[in-house]
Amino acid sequence: MLDFFVEGTPVPQGSKNAYVRGGRAVLVDANPRLKSWRALVREAAEDAIADAGWEMLDEPCHVYLGFTMPRPQRPQWDVPAVKPDLDKLTRAVFDALTDARVWKDDSRVVSMEVTKKYEGEDGEVPGVWVEVTPK
């Protein structure tokens, strides 16, 4: 199993904006913080890979992602049932894990558990806990 925590405010990977530059269409991520978040996840994954002697997976695996979100001053609910969406948060982490060579491709993920909670519930800070387990 490969497991590690990435501290920082999770950033969703969602839409892209299209611009025309020099007569060519260019796609840019709509969220300017995405690039730095994915770099944090990639670096943490690479460190965990080095520490664990992890070989790039090319087989089915299970993934657990536990997102801890910053708590707003006046949350509407006790849990973060608000944006960003879990699927977009997951997409950003999966792409970073692919870049870090955790697996050959995220299509190897055959099951996953993804959760989202507010900081401070267990003394945790914003970030994401990642666990990858071969099936």
Side-chain angles (χ1 to χ4, degrees), residues 2-111:
L2 183 69
D3 63 327
F4 58 94
F5 181 75
V6 183
E7 187 174 338
T9 300
V11 177
Q13 181 168 321
S15 305
K16 295 189 182 288
N17 292 328
Y19 298 97
V20 177
R21 290 189 185 140
R24 298 183 63 137
V26 177
L27 292 176
V28 180
D29 289 304
N31 192 329
R33 297 176 299 132
L34 177 62
K35 188 174 182 177
S36 61
W37 170 246
R38 281 185 48 183
L40 276 176
V41 175
R42 187 192 71 245
E43 290 167 14
E46 289 170 346
D47 290 345
I49 286 169
D51 292 344
W54 181 265
E55 300 258 342
M56 181 175 66
L57 274 181
D58 192 13
E59 63 185 275
C61 63
H62 171 81
V63 175
Y64 168 78
L65 299 177
F67 290 97
T68 304
M69 307 303 293
R71 181 181 292 278
Q73 287 184 344
R74 294 187 185 116
Q76 188 171 0
W77 296 287
D78 291 338
V79 294
V82 295
K83 292 185 178 197
D85 302 349
L86 277 178
D87 62 326
K88 292 178 180 179
L89 291 168
T90 299
R91 190 179 318 151
V93 172
F94 274 23
D95 284 354
L97 296 179
T98 301
D99 293 344
R101 303 179 55 85
V102 167
W103 47 51
K104 184 173 182 179
D105 188 80
D106 60 12
S107 65
R108 302 303 185 262
V109 178
V110 296
S111 63

